[in-house]
Amino acid sequence: MPITPNDSDAAVVDTAAVDTARRPAPVPFAGIRQRDASDGVGAAASAAAQLASMLPALRLLVGLLIAALVIAALYFGRELLIPLALALLLGFLLDPAVSRLKRWGLPRLAGTLGVVAITLCALAGMGAYLGNQVSDLSAGLPTYQSTISAKLRNLRQLTTGPSVWDGARKTYDTVEKEIDSPPGARAGARVQKVEVQPVELKPLAQFTAWLGKISEPVIMAGIVLLFLVLVLLDRDDLRDRLLRLMGGNLHLATDALNEASERIGRYLRMQFIVNLSYGVPMAAGLWFIGVPGAILWGVVAAIMRFVPYVGPLVSAVFPLALAFAVDPGWNMFLGTLALILVLELISNNVVEPWLYGASTGLSTLSIILAATFWTALWGPVGLILSTPLTVCLLVLGRYLPALRFMEVLLGNSPVLGAPQRLYQRLLAGDVEEAIELCTDGVDAALPAKPTPGQVAEAVGRLYDEILIPTLRMASSHHTGSATAGHRLRLSHGMGELLGEMAEQYPPPLPETAASRRGRVHCIGARWEVDALAAQAMAHALGLDGLAATHSPHALSARMEALEDSDWAGVDLLCLSVFTPQPQTQVRQICRRLRRRWPQLRIVLALWNAPAALLAEDGFAPLGVQAVTTSMRELRLRVGALLAPQPAGGHPLAPMGEEDEARVAALHASGWLDATRTDALHDAVVQAANAFHVPFAQVSLVDADWVHTPGSLLASASGPSVGRPGLPRELSVCAYVVSEAADLQVEDIARDPRFADNPLLQAAALRFYAGVPLRDRQGQVLGSFCIMDTAPRSLSVEELDLLHDMARRLQNTLSHRTEVSPPPGAGPTAQPPAQETGPLLGPAMA
């Protein structure tokens, strides 16, 4: 059918309508909806942020709720928990005896029953004896009634005389009587007293009442005895269950149980010794004074001291009351009182601090609070158990992160490290306390009559461990939380502290100018903390006998004002830098110094530089002689730069003053006998496995040779001819022998004594830790050491373990019959010629 124009228009319109219908319709308010979506995302983020900010409060609330539930469980479950706690406490006391019987071959059941039976018999015998003593005293008490009455009459006459307070006392009595009188009572009316007479019980009822009173302690004792037997029998199973409850980390749980057992056991043993040292003199003194039942009161005094605070007071009442009743005069009473006071003073101030020490690890305040808390929960038994239970909480706080606050609240160890304490004292303006903190630290490390070298070592260690970390904290907080007042107090306090240290520990004055090895000048790079560290550097270097000076201001503040006369005679410049990224700053300073003084040698002390920067050795192009990161390293580097260089290019190992006698003792000990090699090899293998290091070694230092039988380092290089060893002048262990002290080198490459040692470089060793090996006479014959190819350090516990292994090795070697030295061998005997061959490389320590 033909299409007319109108039809075509209609068709066009219809097509357009169809196209319009096919296109998606525009969404009204699209921007508003998108904004709503973004607002929803922002609201969710804000809610998440608010929830994150509330998490600490929620954790605290949950912790308080759990603590309340635990306290409620302890209180309402005390009928069951008190016998269990007493049984565990007695188990700590009796388990060593049961374990000893088991080691002797007796079954654990028989040993447990035997120990418990012996304990019960001893307690029964003691109770019978004490009961007999009490019976004798009670029989003689009526004879002392006249003495007691006479003394009371005398005391009444002394206290009822006229006094200035009589009028006030009478007025108070009248007012109190008026207040207590019933309302409506007539004046002068007589008040009739009413007395309630108790009902007399029949014999059966009296027996039942008496049985009800003693049944509770008897049942308690029976439950404790049952628990005690079960604890002693199933000790291993109980320990396994506790380990399982403490989590899957067996290492952590084992250490926690061992520490708790060790602390509680030591506390109980020391408590027994303290009580015995108090009860025996008490009984002897009372017998000498003439108080009846002296042994009884000595035993009571020893037992009652197991009850903290209250026990000594209760035990003192009985002998004082008896002395008051027996003697018509006052000599016996005053003598008894003096005896108790003297024993209390000696026990509290001499015996207990000497024996206890840090046996429990609890602070004094925590012990008092714990006694109050456990007494409120469990009564008198809680007072007795307060210290052991609190020790368990302390150990749990040390090993469980969720209970870490327990260690902070209960422990006696400082919660802030020494640098944090010094930093806080300086911020608070307590300069005197800051000085006392540092001087006490130095004095504690010095013997009674220290040598100048010991003083220098102690002060240098203090600067390394306390002062430099304090300045490092000040540098990091300089533009952060520190205010202008904080920075000013820190600057003034640190200056006074360093001045006081220089006065108390002055550097030794050289006798002549020729005795000085060279002048060293210390200066800070830019900031005031740099200059303060430079002052400490000058003091430490001066204690080493060097002519060390320092500038009171940083170098950048007066670079242009420097005169040539200021640097006349300066052999070494030590530049102190605390900036974390010191490359640009040091480069500018070194270039400007080189332009004016080309011959000046520079040592950088980079206190805050990262390890990666030090490894890159980026300061070598500047002509810097050395880069140090600690005060000890600075002292060693400066001493090596100013000392005459040895022929080999590295410092030689020193020798002690009595080295000939020591070498003779080595040859007479028999430790060099070839039959000892297997024992030495077993010891070094055990040490390498325990410390997870590739190398361990026993070094026996001869006159000019170090014998290393059984060394893992020597065996790593393959079979060798003759006895392994190395020249003494190249040995690290020679330092241990000459100084008769431990030696730990955390990074050999940074220690100038060993950095250039060719044997150490050939073996690629970076870490060394050695302890002395002594014979029965205390003579140092060698060292027991471990080595690693990466820098590391040993903790105090690990160093103690190395000492324990060295002592066991000493005992093993000393138990054998001493072997006489072969004919012709003496203190200067040379090693075989073949030993100087290929063994020099690997066997170096």
Side-chain angles (χ1 to χ4, degrees):
M1 182 172 114
I3 300 176
T4 61
N6 293 336
D7 293 337
S8 63
D9 292 339
V12 172
V13 171
D14 292 340
T15 305
V18 172
D19 293 339
T20 303
R22 290 177 178 175
R23 290 198 301 266
V27 181
F29 309 111
I32 296 178
R33 293 186 179 180
Q34 292 176 0
R35 193 181 308 116
D36 291 342
S38 62
D39 291 343
V41 174
S46 177
Q50 291 180 359
L51 182 60
S53 63
M54 292 173 60
L55 282 179
L58 291 175
R59 291 194 187 99
L60 178 61
L61 183 61
V62 172
L64 293 176
L65 181 60
I66 294 175
L69 292 176
V70 170
I71 293 174
L74 290 173
Y75 180 76
F76 292 106
R78 61 185 181 275
E79 299 296 334
L80 176 64
L81 295 176
I82 289 177
L84 181 59
L86 286 173
L88 290 174
L89 184 63
L90 293 175
F92 277 110
L93 286 174
L94 301 181
D95 183 70
V98 176
S99 300
R100 178 63 61 87
L101 292 177
K102 184 180 178 181
R103 285 196 296 269
W104 288 350
L106 196 66
R108 189 167 188 86
L109 177 60
T112 299
L113 296 179
V115 170
V116 172
I118 293 173
T119 303
L120 291 178
C121 292
L123 292 177
M126 184 180 295
Y129 174 78
L130 295 180
N132 187 24
Q133 292 288 319
V134 172
S135 177
D136 294 341
L137 286 175
S138 62
L141 283 178
T143 61
Y144 308 135
Q145 290 181 0
S146 59
T147 304
I148 297 173
S149 300
K151 285 189 174 181
L152 290 178
R153 284 195 300 269
N154 294 334
L155 290 176
R156 190 179 299 111
Q157 291 176 1
L158 293 175
T159 57
T160 56
S163 172
V164 295
W165 301 102
D166 287 346
R169 183 173 56 84
K170 291 179 180 179
T171 303
Y172 176 78
D173 292 340
T174 303
V175 173
E176 184 181 17
K177 188 179 296 182
E178 288 293 332
I179 293 174
D180 293 339
S181 61
R186 294 174 301 173
R190 187 175 180 181
V191 180
Q192 185 177 1
K193 294 183 178 180
V194 178
E195 184 177 359
V196 179
Q197 294 290 338
V199 179
E200 185 176 356
L201 300 177
K202 295 181 179 181
L204 182 59
Q206 291 180 0
F207 176 76
T208 304
W210 175 80
L211 187 62
K213 291 180 180 179
I214 69 168
S215 61
E216 184 176 354
V218 170
I219 293 174
M220 174 76 71
I223 295 175
V224 170
L225 181 61
L226 178 61
F227 280 162
L228 175 61
V229 173
L230 294 177
V231 166
L232 292 176
L233 282 177
D234 298 334
R235 185 199 63 171
D236 296 336
D237 182 68
L238 181 62
R239 180 183 57 191
D240 294 342
R241 294 182 185 278
L242 288 176
L243 290 172
R244 183 63 178 174
L245 288 175
M246 293 180 66
N249 191 339
L250 291 179
H251 301 86
L252 195 66
T254 301
D255 291 342
L257 286 182
N258 288 342
E259 183 175 348
S261 176
E262 180 182 358
R263 286 182 181 273
I264 294 176
R266 189 189 307 123
Y267 165 74
L268 293 175
R269 290 191 296 271
M270 294 302 103
Q271 182 71 56
F272 177 77
I273 296 175
V274 168
N275 294 1
L276 196 65
S277 67
Y278 183 87
V280 172
M282 173 69 78
L286 292 177
W287 176 82
F288 180 78
I289 294 172
V291 178
I295 298 178
L296 170 65
W297 306 127
V299 174
V300 170
I303 294 175
M304 290 303 295
R305 288 189 72 86
F306 278 106
V307 182
Y309 310 113
V310 181
L313 297 178
V314 174
S315 65
V317 170
F318 299 105
L320 287 174
L322 195 59
F324 176 83
V326 171
D327 188 13
W330 293 94
N331 293 333
M332 184 178 293
F333 179 82
L334 295 178
T336 304
L337 180 61
L339 173 66
I340 293 174
L341 292 178
V342 169
L343 289 179
E344 285 291 337
L345 290 175
I346 295 176
S347 180
N348 294 335
N349 298 293
V350 178
V351 179
E352 289 185 5
W354 174 47
L355 291 177
Y356 283 158
S359 60
T360 61
L362 300 174
S363 64
T364 304
L365 180 60
S366 66
I367 292 176
I368 297 175
L369 293 178
T372 306
F373 173 79
W374 289 108
T375 304
L377 281 181
W378 290 356
V381 179
L383 182 60
I384 299 174
L385 297 174
S386 61
T387 300
L389 291 175
T390 310
V391 168
C392 294
L393 292 178
L394 174 66
V395 174
L396 288 177
R398 180 167 298 175
Y399 287 95
L400 298 181
L403 300 177
R404 189 63 52 84
F405 67 94
M406 286 289 184
E407 183 183 9
V408 177
L409 294 177
L410 304 176
N412 61 355
S413 58
V415 295
L416 293 178
Q420 287 82 5
R421 280 186 286 159
L422 178 61
Y423 187 56
Q424 190 277 329
R425 303 310 187 263
L426 294 176
L427 289 179
D430 297 332
V431 181
E432 293 296 332
E433 192 171 350
I435 294 174
E436 183 180 357
L437 176 65
C438 293
T439 54
D440 288 349
V442 174
D443 294 339
L446 293 176
K449 294 181 179 180
T451 62
Q454 291 173 333
V455 173
E457 189 66 28
V459 173
R461 188 181 300 113
L462 175 85
Y463 286 165
D464 258 335
E465 297 177 356
I466 299 180
L467 191 133
I468 295 300
T470 301
L471 292 176
R472 191 176 291 119
M473 284 189 290
S475 174
S476 62
H477 298 163
H478 185 81
T479 58
S481 56
T483 63
H486 292 150
R487 291 191 287 268
L488 182 62
R489 287 194 295 269
L490 179 73
S491 174
H492 286 174
M494 187 63 74
E496 294 182 23
L497 169 63
L498 291 173
E500 185 67 23
M501 292 291 293
E503 290 184 6
Q504 291 203 24
Y505 310 101
L509 297 176
E511 297 179 359
T512 60
S515 63
R516 302 189 179 188
R517 288 182 283 170
R519 181 186 169 194
V520 182
H521 189 69
C522 302
I523 192 168
R526 181 176 183 182
W527 304 109
E528 192 167 11
V529 289
D530 299 337
L532 292 171
Q535 184 177 352
M537 292 159 55
H539 182 215
L541 294 175
L543 290 173
D544 286 333
L546 302 175
T549 57
H550 74 279
S551 296
H553 302 288
L555 187 60
S556 60
R558 54 194 303 269
M559 175 72 77
E560 303 301 334
L562 293 177
E563 299 291 342
D564 292 340
S565 58
D566 297 338
W567 301 84
V570 174
D571 297 304
L572 206 61
L573 175 68
C574 296
L575 187 63
S576 171
V577 185
F578 270 95
T579 304
Q581 299 295 333
Q583 300 94 318
T584 304
Q585 184 183 87
V586 169
R587 187 178 298 109
Q588 293 176 354
I589 292 176
C590 289
R591 286 176 179 175
R592 298 172 73 178
L593 290 174
R594 291 294 183 198
R595 283 196 295 265
R596 298 183 62 176
W597 299 282
Q599 303 301 323
L600 186 64
R601 295 188 294 174
I602 301 175
V603 174
L604 298 180
L606 304 182
W607 309 113
N608 257 343
L613 179 63
L614 299 175
E616 294 173 359
D617 198 15
F619 300 99
L622 301 177
V624 174
Q625 271 62 40
V627 177
T628 64
T629 58
S630 65
M631 194 69 70
R632 176 173 177 78
E633 186 181 353
L634 174 73
R635 293 167 53 215
L636 293 173
R637 288 287 182 184
V638 171
L641 289 173
L642 296 179
Q645 291 297 322
H650 58 273
L652 303 179
M655 289 191 180
E657 297 179 356
E658 300 178 355
D659 197 65
E660 286 191 15
R662 188 198 61 77
V663 171
L666 172 64
H667 285 276
S669 66
W671 289 13
L672 297 176
D673 188 16
T675 58
R676 310 294 179 92
T677 303
D678 292 339
L680 297 175
H681 181 73
D682 293 341
V684 299
V685 169
Q686 187 179 31
N689 292 332
F691 291 95
H692 192 58
V693 293
F695 306 118
Q697 187 166 279
V698 173
S699 301
L700 303 177
V701 181
D702 209 333
D704 54 3
W705 186 259
V706 176
H707 305 272
T708 59
S711 171
L712 295 182
L713 196 61
S715 61
S717 63
S720 56
V721 181
R723 304 178 66 182
L726 70 158
R728 179 172 177 173
E729 63 268 13
L730 299 178
S731 172
V732 183
C733 293
Y735 286 83
V736 179
V737 173
S738 63
E739 299 174 4
D742 305 342
L743 177 62
Q744 182 176 180
V745 185
E746 298 179 359
D747 190 353
I748 291 175
R750 303 205 61 79
D751 195 313
R753 296 171 297 178
F754 314 117
D756 298 327
N757 191 313
L759 301 185
L760 297 174
Q761 293 176 349
L765 294 181
R766 297 291 298 275
F767 168 75
Y768 173 92
V771 297
L773 284 174
R774 304 175 186 269
D775 60 6
R776 293 178 178 177
Q777 289 72 35
Q779 194 77 257
V780 179
L781 305 183
S783 74
F784 187 59
C785 62
I786 57 175
M787 295 159 285
D788 202 347
T789 55
R792 59 177 293 183
S793 62
L794 294 184
S795 63
V796 177
E797 293 78 10
E798 290 175 328
L799 194 59
D800 291 340
L801 178 60
L802 188 60
H803 273 285
D804 291 339
M805 299 182 72
R807 281 191 289 269
R808 288 198 295 269
L809 179 60
Q810 291 170 180
N811 295 333
T812 301
L813 296 176
S814 300
H815 282 164
R816 300 194 179 190
T817 305
E818 292 186 351
V819 179
S820 301
T828 58
Q830 300 290 334
Q834 64 268 23
E835 295 182 2
T836 61
L839 299 178
L840 296 182
M844 35 57 56

